[in-house]
Amino acid sequence: MVGGIAMIELVVIRHGQSVADIEGRHEGRADFPLTDLGREQAEKLAMWLKERYTFDMIIASPLKRAKETAEIIGSQMNQPVIFNDNLMEWNNGVLAGLSREEARLKYPEPEGGRKYFQSVEKGESMIDFRSRAEHFLANLLHSIKDTEDKTTICIVAHGGIITMLYRSFLNLPIDTNVWLATGDTGVHLWRIQGDKRVIVFSNKQEHLSFNC
């Protein structure tokens, strides 16, 4: 607690390199695992986190690439992982698992791109996606709002949902064009204290230079 007001820290992390990353495929809900490099990245991240944080909770997407990353972190820090479907990546419907070229030929975007209220076939729109992020964040913050101490939560997810959580965290408009860059095992630190919301840092990857 600082100045009599409890602090919440959200350590938000993207998974390590996945098989789809190196094959140039649309991932989304396609459930690709980590590569060997991805697992190495997660191991380095876990050691870096252990030196700096004590987590009250680790929450992750159940998709393999995030699940593996979170379990490596949990193992290093001797903590269980809670899985939450609302942290899954954008539901990209028929695009899931397709190569970029195949997707472009089979399901070309409409002229000017899809609007935020339009969904890809069998998928979700950006409005749906944002709503899911809002639901996750609101529910999480409500569940810990009465704590009297500092609470630090680790969230392991995907680039797209992390952008949506970022927009939700900052109360950005639904049609904003603000995107958050997140590389393999990139780490973001967001802080809440009272009515103040602070982005402490974004996409930190210094752990990748460490030798295991």
Side-chain angles (χ1 to χ4, degrees):
M1 183 178 294
V2 180
I5 303 175
M7 179 186 294
I8 299 169
E9 286 191 334
L10 303 179
V11 180
V12 184
I13 297 165
R14 181 182 180 267
H15 59 80
Q17 184 192 71
S18 72
V19 171
D21 290 334
I22 61 174
E23 291 184 354
R25 294 184 178 277
H26 281 280
E27 205 153 21
R29 293 298 176 85
D31 204 6
F32 290 91
L34 295 177
T35 62
D36 289 342
L37 175 59
R39 282 183 280 274
E40 180 182 325
Q41 291 169 337
E43 292 284 359
K44 290 180 176 181
L45 169 63
M47 290 187 290
W48 184 87
L49 291 170
K50 187 175 182 179
E51 292 178 357
R52 290 162 176 80
Y53 298 99
T54 299
F55 295 132
D56 296 285
M57 196 183 308
I58 301 173
I59 311 173
S61 159
L63 293 173
K64 288 177 184 176
R65 54 200 187 272
K67 180 176 185 286
E68 286 186 75
T69 302
E71 288 177 337
I72 289 170
I73 295 169
S75 177
Q76 183 67 237
M77 304 188 80
N78 196 29
Q79 280 188 267
V81 179
I82 299 167
F83 296 102
N84 189 307
D85 287 352
N86 278 333
L87 288 176
M88 290 168 64
E89 185 58 295
W90 174 53
N91 184 351
N92 56 348
V94 294
L95 302 180
L98 297 182
S99 70
R100 302 284 174 180
E101 180 64 15
E102 187 179 8
R104 186 183 65 79
L105 293 173
K106 285 187 174 181
Y107 306 104
E109 286 197 1
E111 188 174 348
R114 290 184 185 86
K115 306 302 181 185
Y116 62 91
F117 51 84
Q118 297 174 322
S119 60
V120 67
E121 186 179 342
K122 298 183 180 179
E124 62 185 350
S125 68
M126 288 297 106
I127 287 181
D128 297 329
F129 196 14
R130 173 67 178 269
S131 176
R132 183 154 56 83
E134 293 278 357
H135 185 275
F136 170 82
L137 188 60
N139 187 61
L140 175 64
L141 297 181
H142 177 75
S143 71
I144 57 178
K145 66 180 177 64
D146 295 326
T147 182
E148 296 181 356
D149 300 311
K150 177 180 174 183
T151 302
T152 303
I153 297 174
C154 177
I155 297 171
V156 184
H158 313 266
I161 187 65
I162 290 173
T163 284
M164 288 300 166
L165 291 171
Y166 177 78
R167 293 174 179 180
S168 300
F169 184 82
L170 294 181
N171 295 316
L172 296 177
I174 191 70
D175 58 346
T176 184
N177 61 359
V178 174
W179 293 83
L180 186 65
T182 311
D184 294 339
T185 62
V187 183
H188 308 268
L189 177 58
W190 306 340
R191 185 174 291 156
I192 301 172
Q193 192 169 11
D195 295 331
K196 184 182 292 185
R197 296 190 174 197
V198 179
I199 305 298
V200 181
F201 60 74
S202 290
N203 199 26
K204 186 167 285 192
Q205 293 177 287
E206 63 185 41
H207 52 276
L208 294 181
S209 64
F210 293 175
N211 292 318
C212 290

